[in-house]
Amino acid sequence: MRFYTGDESGLIKCIDIDANMSLLEAQAQAAKRTKAAAKAKANLKAGEQAAAADTSLAGVEIRTIDGRVNRSNGIQQMCTTKWATNDRAFAVARKNGNIDVVGFEGEQLFTYTDEKFAERVSIKHNGRTISERSYVGLSASDSHFLSCTNMGEVRYQSFATSEAKLMKLPLDACRMRTHNDRSSVFAVGGREHELSVWDAETLQESGAGAKPTPIFRAKNVANDFLNLRVPVWITDIQFTSEDATNPTLAVSTGHKQIRLYDARAQQRPVNDWEVSKHPIYHLQASHVRPELYFADNMGNVQQMDMRTGHVFGAFKGIAGAVKSISLSEDGAKIAVAGLDRYVRVFETGSMRRPLHRAYVKQRVSHVVWDWEHKDFSTQEIEEQEAEDIWETMDKAALKKKSNKRKAAAI
């Protein structure tokens, strides 16, 4: 298993976890090392200094790909993309306003700086004060990147030129997501900012122009039983269909609900469920089964059937708020990262047991599962080792025969 993380200190890290080693086995080996270190420390003579104990789990390898510890370069959004040379790369949006494209070996491929991030901000909106700009969404293809800030500033720019298509949306946007198959189609929502879906190809070039028409614009739910307006607070969005012209979407809210929208049916949600005791901040849709995974601000990650709204399981052992969720290619595993500085891997089946974990030292803001890195089972590894042994023996036998022929010829 291989993951890439971006953290609040501006580092991009690669985490390799041995899929054939269980968490219990790794913990047992770590306990043995700790016990041996404690025994060695007790046997030290006067004046001798004990070596630092290795508390890392076996089967975990972590390396830094890019960056130095600098909180002003903290990564707020991160995704993988294909660069023009067909090489894989990371697109990252940083706290200082930079959008960088970084190669998988750490080479800097592209940089854009939003100078507005250097300006001081103090705007009162919806009863709260916005004191700084931040990126709430980022997507990149092989030719363009699409970004959105909490000030509602959308930018769709080519990597080849400095010209960009811009759009101004309402303030206090909380999340922007793009469609899985069409990177120019995006959805955005936030505090008192109802869900809307747009196509970046229809945006105007830099400068004044008519505002484009959205693909879909949602309406707020009906008033409550006291006939009072229900406040809007969208925290995360997921596209749940392949159709980008009439999409279906799942939305999480800061008021503990998950809502499903169908652009073909109506502007109000077709389903509205209250599924948590705490505000829901992160949402991940499964690309294999009709399921949703959501996380609240108390470190609870749960699994939900998108057809019925039934929450049928939770992932245990997470401490602190979750910042990012990522699924494996087959949908059988889930990676969870957050403020406790751990990346944890769980099964997504009926057991939802923990498979492994890695301590990354910094608070992770985003985790991406590497789908192109394939894991091999123990049986496959043994078969490959056996094939290598037989191949080596065949080569040795051929070499021996060749030497005998040469000797006979002499």
Side-chain angles (χ1 to χ4, degrees):
M1 296 178 285
R2 177 172 290 174
F3 316 93
Y4 300 101
T5 62
D7 57 51
E8 294 182 357
S9 299
L11 304 178
I12 301 175
K13 294 184 178 182
C14 174
I15 303 173
D16 282 306
I17 296 179
D18 185 359
N20 298 308
M21 178 169 288
S22 68
L23 179 59
L24 290 176
E25 184 181 353
Q27 287 175 327
Q29 292 186 19
K32 286 181 181 179
R33 291 197 304 269
T34 304
K35 188 176 180 180
K39 188 176 180 180
K41 186 177 180 180
N43 295 332
L44 285 176
K45 297 179 181 179
E48 293 182 346
Q49 189 174 0
D54 182 13
T55 58
S56 61
L57 292 180
V60 178
E61 182 181 346
I62 303 175
R63 60 185 175 92
T64 301
I65 294 177
D66 178 68
R68 296 182 178 178
V69 175
N70 186 349
R71 293 189 67 84
S72 64
N73 292 335
I75 295 173
Q76 296 178 336
Q77 301 293 329
M78 175 177 169
C79 65
T80 56
T81 183
K82 288 280 189 181
W83 192 240
T85 57
N86 207 32
D87 295 328
R88 292 194 298 162
F90 304 102
V92 294
R94 301 186 184 273
K95 186 178 179 181
N96 60 6
N98 286 4
I99 292 178
D100 298 332
V101 179
V102 182
F104 271 45
E105 299 301 323
E107 62 274 23
Q108 196 76 22
L109 302 175
F110 173 83
T111 298
Y112 162 76
T113 302
D114 190 340
E115 298 178 354
K116 293 181 180 178
F117 274 71
E119 302 172 0
R120 290 190 175 183
V121 177
S122 182
I123 300 174
K124 290 186 177 180
H125 185 70
N126 295 327
R128 54 194 296 270
T129 301
I130 302 174
S131 57
E132 64 177 1
R133 276 184 169 82
S134 63
Y135 285 107
V136 298
L138 175 69
S139 176
S141 64
D142 57 352
S143 58
H144 292 76
F145 75 85
L146 177 65
S147 67
C148 180
T149 70
N150 61 335
M151 308 297 285
E153 299 156 342
V154 177
R155 171 176 287 268
Y156 184 61
Q157 180 173 327
S158 170
F159 292 124
T161 66
S162 58
E163 292 189 4
K165 296 181 178 181
L166 307 175
M167 185 172 69
K168 186 71 173 72
L169 294 172
L171 292 173
D172 224 355
C174 292
R175 198 70 175 101
M176 185 274 285
R177 293 271 193 182
T178 56
H179 193 273
N180 297 328
D181 298 327
R182 284 184 58 187
S183 59
S184 63
V185 175
F186 66 96
V188 64
R191 288 179 184 264
E192 299 305 327
H193 184 169
E194 193 53 87
L195 174 68
S196 56
V197 182
W198 308 80
D199 188 349
E201 295 290 351
T202 64
L203 303 184
Q204 301 295 320
E205 297 287 347
S206 302
K211 193 172 182 179
T213 303
I215 296 174
F216 172 73
R217 189 191 296 276
K219 284 184 177 181
N220 195 8
V221 296
N223 292 350
D224 61 16
F225 67 98
L226 293 175
N227 201 28
L228 298 176
R229 178 184 174 276
V230 177
V232 177
W233 183 9
I234 294 174
T235 55
D236 207 349
I237 306 165
Q238 286 285 314
F239 285 90
T240 58
S241 67
E242 297 180 357
D243 188 358
T245 55
N246 291 297
T248 59
L249 303 100
V251 165
S252 63
T253 76
H255 301 296
K256 315 167 192 175
Q257 298 113 346
I258 287 180
R259 294 170 178 163
L260 301 183
Y261 290 87
D262 188 344
R264 299 164 297 181
Q266 59 186 34
Q267 289 180 280
R268 287 195 168 98
V270 292
N271 285 305
D272 184 5
W273 301 298
E274 185 170 326
V275 295
S276 176
K277 296 180 180 179
H278 308 283
I280 302 170
Y281 280 173
H282 297 280
L283 189 66
Q284 180 66 49
S286 172
H287 54 281
V288 179
R289 296 179 292 272
E291 295 175 354
L292 291 171
Y293 303 90
F294 62 92
D296 58 31
N297 62 346
M298 300 299 290
N300 301 310
V301 180
Q302 300 180 75
Q303 191 173 357
M304 189 190 88
D305 190 330
M306 199 164 56
R307 296 164 297 186
T308 62
H310 174 60
V311 178
F312 56 88
F315 301 91
K316 303 295 184 180
I318 302 169
V322 171
K323 300 293 287 184
S324 183
I325 301 172
S326 184
L327 279 171
S328 62
E329 186 175 13
D330 59 2
K333 304 181 188 72
I334 185 172
V336 179
L339 299 184
D340 62 353
R341 296 175 169 83
Y342 277 96
V343 175
R344 290 180 166 86
V345 185
F346 297 88
E347 283 183 340
T348 59
S350 58
M351 297 298 292
R352 291 174 292 279
R353 62 188 180 93
L355 299 178
H356 222 301
R357 70 182 184 207
Y359 183 70
V360 294
K361 297 183 180 179
Q362 282 81 24
R363 294 197 296 186
V364 178
S365 57
H366 211 90
V367 61
V368 177
W369 198 302
D370 187 356
W371 286 4
E372 296 192 17
H373 178 79
K374 304 300 181 184
D375 297 322
F376 296 98
S377 66
T378 305
Q379 182 180 354
E380 289 173 330
I381 293 172
E382 291 175 353
E383 289 175 356
Q384 184 62 42
E385 289 176 349
E387 287 180 7
D388 293 341
I389 291 170
W390 283 110
E391 187 176 347
T392 305
M393 291 172 65
D394 292 340
K395 288 180 179 178
L398 289 172
K399 188 175 181 181
K400 191 174 182 180
K401 286 182 180 179
S402 176
N403 291 337
K404 285 183 178 180
R405 287 173 183 171
K406 289 179 180 178
I410 294 172

